[in-house]
Amino acid sequence: MAYALQQLINGVSLGMIYGLIAIGYTMVYGIIGMINFAHGDIFMIGAFLSLIGLLLITSGGLLDGPGAIVLVLALSMAFTALYGWTVERLAYRPLRGSFRLAPLISAIGMSIVLQNYVQVSQGARVKPIEPVVQGGFTIMQEGTFAVQLSTMQILIILTTLVILAIFTWLVTRTRLGRAMRACEQDRKMASLLGIDTDRTISITFVIGAALAAVAGTMYLLRYGVIDFYIGFLVGVKAFTAAVLGGIGSLPGAVLGGLLIGLIETFWSAYFSVQYKDVAAFSILILTLVFMPTGLLGRAEVEKV
Amino acid sequence: MSTPLLEIRDVSTFYGAVEALKGVSVTVAPGEIVTLIGANGAGKSTLLMTICGDPRARSGRICFDGQDITERPTHHIMRSGIAQSPEGRRIFPRMSVHENLLMGAQSSGIDPCPGLDQAFTLFPRLKEREAQRAGTLSGGEQQMLAIARALMSRPRLLLLDEPSLGLAPLVSRQIFQAIRKLNMETGLTVLLVEQNANQALRLAHRGYVLVTGRITMSGTGRELLARPDVRDAYLGGH
Ligand SMILES: Nc1ncnc2c1ncn2[C@@H]1O[C@H](COP(=O)(O)OP(=O)(O)O)[C@@H](O)[C@H]1O
Ligand SMILES: [Mg+2]
């Protein structure tokens, strides 16, 4: 029981990271109908920018603890957003209106470019950091097993909830969010109402990248090691989360992220750590075969 | 005639290699209702969309209010005082009626309240359905919503593509009455595309007949209604 509760806590905090990234996949798919394969690498860039920010801030002795984390988060979000914007501008916008596979191929290319860029500029070695946030609580004791809730996990869960609340408000309550939903439902009509659809698409990439940066910061702080290759595996899992939740559905992305996080954690805890990635990929395949619209997705209606 | 609000001069539009409009010229004066009639596939919707820059005219000129808008991006054109209720209505199905209407006012940055009042006075049915998802409205209600949404930006020129398509005669009459009322009370200029040529020519001040991408006839509504060839081709011979 206590062991399961511990896995639940670990699974939720991991799942939130996947959920934040999955939102980026699902938003971009919703608005331009493409899978942005470079999104996992945008997450990786976010983690590296957080690392750089953290080293600068803590070595400069400016701040430590929560203040440093907030600042790192803000810097990483801003710069990662810039990467997201640039990728769309350079690699996808020129191909809009071209054949359907073109932006997909371009995205795979972009993913390779970003990985190599980080590998060359930052080196291929794994980058560890000292734990920034330590401590935690024992919330339950059962025999010799103590259920731990670390301060870091609390921080991940709270930050993610706050970011998700702001994001939900943005999409459902603001003019910008309404324009994004309009573009998602009927881009041509949105432009007939005077919406600058290219700009709306750019903003979608910027927001998706900023959320991936949050995930990158959280990943760095939680696991303490990153390398140029983390974007691939984490990206595929977040993509699986988006598909499981129903690609195009924002609540679905968060739900899918949580489920993938939980499944992976419980699988590692009860079956086999070595095969934990197999669990996520099996779910991707099972979903695509048996439930292609996912848990909260809509059946794809042919647009007229 | 006063200087035209909309002047389309010798416009050709292509889909790939297919020439859908072959040198079309149409003018609309301020305060006029002008109708464009023609068989299915004649290019009526293409003309309305070409005015909005999507697809873009390959040759010819389109001027609105004295400004050349031929090369402007669609969202600029739609912010300059033109609105369209397009073929197929294209309401946002997963937004509420209220949000659909707000979308109409969004990019012009004007206060949506007077527009909402006007929409609900014109179509009281929309008021009852304000919070409902637009995708669940009936065809007639969706058409009302599409027109009301187009009016939210306070346009000077309204482009209407087959507003009566698929509607019961009573509903379609309501919509035509609403167009007449708007034109008389606010001086709104309307370019109306219709299959229902009889009703459209009765409503309009002037009309054009489009046949496979070319204007073949034009005149006042009354003149066109009286012509035997128009009656045979578009009014079912009555
Ligand atoms: N998106 C498109 N791509 C290719 N051809 C099109 C497209 N839209 C319309 N057409 C063609 O252009 C011609 C005019 O169509 P349209 O303007 O829709 O006619 P109408 O509105 O008068 O029925 C038709 O032959 C139609 O098949
Ligand atoms: Mg048509």
Side-chain angles (χ1 to χ4, degrees), chain B residues 45 87 161-162:
Chain B
S45 301
E87 178 162 48
D161 199 339
E162 305 211 33

Side-chain angles (χ1 to χ4, degrees), chain A residues 230-295:
Chain A
I230 54 167
F232 176 72
L233 208 53
V234 176
V236 173
K237 287 178 190 166
F239 171 63
T240 304
V243 172
L244 177 63
I247 190 104
S249 159
L250 296 175
V254 179
L255 176 67
L258 285 175
L259 286 173
I260 296 291
L262 287 167
I263 289 165
E264 185 180 322
T265 309
F266 276 90
W267 182 282
S268 317
Y270 289 98
F271 300 110
S272 139
V273 187
Q274 282 87 357
Y275 288 100
K276 74 182 163 88
D277 299 333
V278 174
F281 296 131
S282 312
I283 288 164
L284 177 59
I285 291 162
L286 290 176
T287 313
L288 286 174
V289 172
F290 294 107
M291 201 176 43
T293 57
L295 294 170

Side-chain angles (χ1 to χ4, degrees), chain B residues 39-46 87-88 161-162 165 193 195:
Chain B
N40 233 329
K44 306 182 297 296
S45 301
T46 303
E87 178 162 48
D161 199 339
E162 305 211 33
L165 189 69
V193 160
Q195 293 253 327

Side-chain angles (χ1 to χ4, degrees), chain A:
Chain A
M1 179 56 215
Y3 187 61
L5 181 63
Q6 182 70 67
Q7 302 318 316
L8 186 71
I9 293 169
N10 296 348
V12 166
S13 59
L14 176 62
M16 292 208 146
I17 292 176
Y18 290 151
L20 282 170
I21 306 169
I23 289 175
Y25 281 108
T26 227
M27 274 202 307
V28 165
Y29 181 84
I31 204 159
I32 55 174
M34 76 168 269
I35 305 296
N36 178 12
F37 280 113
H39 188 59
D41 301 289
I42 291 288
F43 152 79
M44 178 272 292
I45 296 264
F48 267 88
L49 288 167
S50 309
L51 175 71
I52 295 167
L54 195 66
L55 292 178
L56 287 177
I57 289 167
T58 51
S59 73
L62 289 171
L63 284 165
D64 56 359
I69 291 175
V70 170
L71 190 58
V72 165
L73 200 59
L75 285 174
S76 168
M77 284 172 83
F79 283 98
T80 310
L82 199 60
Y83 276 90
W85 181 84
T86 311
V87 165
E88 192 270 336
R89 259 329 255 271
L90 290 182
Y92 307 149
R93 189 181 296 183
L95 297 172
R96 205 160 294 149
S98 158
F99 68 104
R100 230 181 129 68
L101 276 179
L104 223 58
I105 295 165
S106 186
I108 293 170
M110 219 49 231
S111 163
I112 297 168
V113 167
L114 290 174
Q115 277 180 31
N116 284 301
Y117 160 67
V118 172
Q119 184 182 7
V120 168
S121 63
Q122 302 297 318
R125 272 182 310 126
V126 167
K127 304 276 180 297
I129 57 162
E130 298 286 316
V132 181
V133 182
Q134 281 168 326
F137 311 92
T138 303
I139 51 173
M140 196 174 146
Q141 186 86 35
E142 196 177 271
T144 55
F145 188 84
V147 180
Q148 296 286 340
L149 178 61
S150 71
T151 314
M152 192 59 234
Q153 283 171 324
I154 298 174
L155 202 69
I156 289 179
I157 293 170
L158 285 184
T159 308
T160 310
L161 288 177
V162 169
I163 298 271
L164 284 178
I166 295 171
F167 173 72
T168 306
W169 168 80
L170 184 98
V171 170
T172 58
R173 296 272 182 276
T174 66
R175 288 159 56 102
L176 171 64
R178 210 185 303 126
M180 287 167 62
R181 284 180 289 137
C183 286
E184 185 234 311
Q185 293 179 30
D186 188 339
R187 199 156 92 217
K188 194 167 188 147
M189 189 64 227
S191 75
L192 283 181
L193 293 172
I195 303 293
D196 183 347
T197 54
D198 277 342
R199 182 168 164 269
T200 310
I201 292 168
S202 278
I203 295 172
T204 304
F205 274 84
V206 162
I207 294 174
L211 293 178
V214 177
T217 310
M218 297 303 153
Y219 186 94
L220 173 74
L221 294 176
R222 170 98 170 86
Y223 297 100
V225 283
I226 55 171
D227 60 50
F228 70 95
Y229 202 61
I230 54 167
F232 176 72
L233 208 53
V234 176
V236 173
K237 287 178 190 166
F239 171 63
T240 304
V243 172
L244 177 63
I247 190 104
S249 159
L250 296 175
V254 179
L255 176 67
L258 285 175
L259 286 173
I260 296 291
L262 287 167
I263 289 165
E264 185 180 322
T265 309
F266 276 90
W267 182 282
S268 317
Y270 289 98
F271 300 110
S272 139
V273 187
Q274 282 87 357
Y275 288 100
K276 74 182 163 88
D277 299 333
V278 174
F281 296 131
S282 312
I283 288 164
L284 177 59
I285 291 162
L286 290 176
T287 313
L288 286 174
V289 172
F290 294 107
M291 201 176 43
T293 57
L295 294 170
L296 303 181
R298 295 176 305 274
E300 190 60 50
V301 189
E302 196 58 40
K303 281 184 181 156
V304 278

Side-chain angles (χ1 to χ4, degrees), chain A residues 175 178 181 186 193-194, chain B residues 79 90 94 99 106-107:
Chain A
R175 288 159 56 102
R178 210 185 303 126
R181 284 180 289 137
D186 188 339
L193 293 172
Chain B
R79 288 175 192 181
R90 303 189 92 140
R94 296 184 296 283
E99 278 191 304
Q106 175 143 334
S107 60

